[in-house]
Amino acid sequence: MSRRRKKKKNNFKTLGYSISLIVIGIGIFMARNSEMINADDEMSTKTGIGNSCSRHFPALETVSIPDSLPQQTKEYVGFTISFNKENRTPNYVAWELLGEETEGAKGRSDKFWTDPDIVGCPDTRDYTRSGYDRGHMCPSADQKWSEEAMNDCFVMANICPQLHALNNGAWKTLENKERQWAKRDSAIMIVAGPIYNPMDTARIGNAGVRVPGAFFKVIIAPYLDQPRGIGFIYPNMAAPGNMQDYAMSIDNVEKITGFDFFPSLPDDIEEKVESSFSFKEWNSSRIQ
C-alpha cells in the first residue's frame, strides 16, 4: 500500500428513492440473516501491528470498478480518491487509519477548495443553500495527524451531497466508531463513497453535482492474527435504529455497488474478511 506522507501526480484513467431504499433494505436483510456470524469464542487480545502477524499488503487503496464509470484517481496526503466527472463526486475514497493518527493536534480546516487537476471538481458554492451538507467521505477528524492532510481533506473531490440528518447523525456515529476501532486494532483500512441508481437524478449547483441515494463504507483490519471486515450502507436520509441494522458483509456491498474491494489481498484473506462479518466482534472493546 502506498503510504502517504507526500503527494503524487494524477493517474487519469423524492418516489424514486423509495425503490433505491427497498433494494438497499433487501441487501441489509439478506446480509443480516444469511451472513452474520457470532463472535462467541474469545481469541487473542494482542494489540498493535507489531504484536500480530508481520504482514504488509500493498495497494489496499485500490478498488476495481466497472469500466463504464468515469474515473480519475489521485493520491492526496492521507487518502486516495477515484473521482467521477459526470457525477461530480467521488466513486470512492480510500484511506488507512492508524490508531496513533486519531489523536492528532491539527484543528479542523473548514477551507473547502476546488482542485484544478480534477476534471469536473465542483466549487463549494455549488452546495450553498442546496439543502445538502458538504459530506466528507474521508472525515477531517481522521486527518488530525498532519496539517497538509487536514487541508487536503477539504478538497471538494472528497465531498458528496449529504442530508444533514445523516451527516450529523448515523454517519458521524460510524466515523467515531472507526477511530475507536483503529485505536484498538492499531490499523484499519476504510473505503467509502456514494451509491447511485438510475432514479437518482437530482443535481445541485451550477456544476450539477449529482445527489446520491445512499452511501457505502467498507472496513477491514487486515493485520490482526484473525483479519476481519465489515460493510455498511446508509440511505441518504435520517437513519433510525442501531448501527448494526445497517451492517453487512463486504461481499454484499460489492453486489450492490458493483465494486471489487481490496483485490490486492491474498485470496484466502480476501475471502475471510469479505464473506462474513460480526458486528458483535467489531463493536467489542477488545481484539477478538
Side-chain angles (χ1 to χ4, degrees):
M1 171 176 27
S2 57
R3 187 65 175 146
R4 69 252 178 157
R5 304 303 173 183
K6 61 181 180 179
K7 292 185 180 178
K8 295 186 179 179
K9 295 182 179 180
N10 289 344
N11 179 22
F12 279 93
K13 314 247 173 249
T14 86
L15 180 61
Y17 280 148
S18 298
I19 298 174
S20 174
L21 299 182
I22 289 172
V23 173
I24 292 167
I26 291 172
I28 294 173
F29 177 83
M30 292 173 59
R32 288 181 51 75
N33 284 274
S34 66
E35 294 175 329
M36 191 168 186
I37 62 173
N38 293 320
D40 295 330
D41 296 330
E42 289 191 358
M43 299 180 182
S44 169
T45 58
K46 295 177 181 179
T47 58
I49 298 174
N51 291 331
S52 57
C53 299
S54 57
R55 293 187 292 245
H56 175 68
F57 303 119
L60 288 181
E61 297 99 333
T62 301
V63 179
S64 295
I65 68 174
D67 292 338
S68 59
L69 289 179
Q71 174 174 214
Q72 179 185 349
T73 59
K74 182 173 181 178
E75 183 179 341
Y76 294 86
V77 178
F79 56 94
T80 297
I81 286 179
S82 164
F83 191 78
N84 186 315
K85 65 182 180 180
E86 293 183 358
N87 294 334
R88 306 297 180 98
T89 62
N91 293 309
Y92 66 83
V93 181
W95 68 103
E96 182 184 57
L97 181 61
L98 306 182
E100 64 193 42
E101 293 174 344
T102 63
E103 298 291 346
K106 303 301 178 183
R108 181 182 170 95
S109 167
D110 280 327
K111 295 180 180 178
F112 292 95
W113 60 284
T114 300
D115 189 342
D117 293 336
I118 297 293
V119 178
C121 187
D123 188 279
T124 183
R125 291 169 294 186
D126 288 311
Y127 285 70
T128 302
R129 293 186 293 277
S130 68
Y132 292 92
D133 286 2
R134 297 167 182 85
H136 286 78
M137 294 297 95
C138 177
S140 59
D142 286 7
Q143 305 300 324
K144 296 185 294 184
W145 53 274
S146 161
E147 184 174 357
E148 192 173 9
M150 177 62 72
N151 292 337
D152 275 7
C153 190
F154 282 84
V155 64
M156 291 301 296
N158 181 40
I159 304 301
C160 289
Q162 211 169 43
L163 283 176
H164 183 73
L166 176 63
N167 187 31
N168 198 49
W171 193 254
K172 182 177 180 179
T173 299
L174 178 56
E175 291 173 340
N176 290 334
K177 276 292 184 183
E178 291 158 24
R179 287 184 281 277
Q180 295 176 21
W181 296 339
K183 291 178 183 178
R184 180 196 61 199
D185 297 343
S186 292
I188 58 175
M189 189 71 200
I190 308 168
V191 185
I195 297 176
Y196 294 99
N197 70 42
M199 304 301 294
D200 296 321
T201 58
R203 292 180 179 265
I204 61 172
N206 292 331
V209 182
R210 191 178 178 191
V211 179
F215 295 91
F216 73 85
K217 185 167 283 187
V218 295
I219 308 165
I220 61 171
Y223 302 118
L224 300 179
D225 290 331
Q226 299 293 327
R228 60 169 173 258
I230 194 169
F232 296 88
I233 288 182
Y234 284 95
N236 194 3
M237 57 184 292
N242 299 317
M243 184 185 300
Q244 65 192 77
D245 298 331
Y246 302 89
M248 62 182 68
S249 71
I250 295 175
D251 276 348
N252 239 35
V253 179
E254 290 182 330
K255 290 175 184 178
I256 293 170
T257 62
F259 294 179
D260 180 12
F261 301 104
F262 315 116
S264 65
L265 282 175
D267 289 344
D268 58 334
I269 296 178
E270 184 178 12
E271 168 68 19
K272 177 179 176 61
V273 302
E274 294 189 359
S275 63
S276 60
F277 75 101
S278 169
F279 183 80
K280 178 182 177 181
E281 183 178 275
W282 272 95
N283 206 36
S284 172
S285 60
R286 298 187 302 168
I287 295 178
Q288 298 290 311

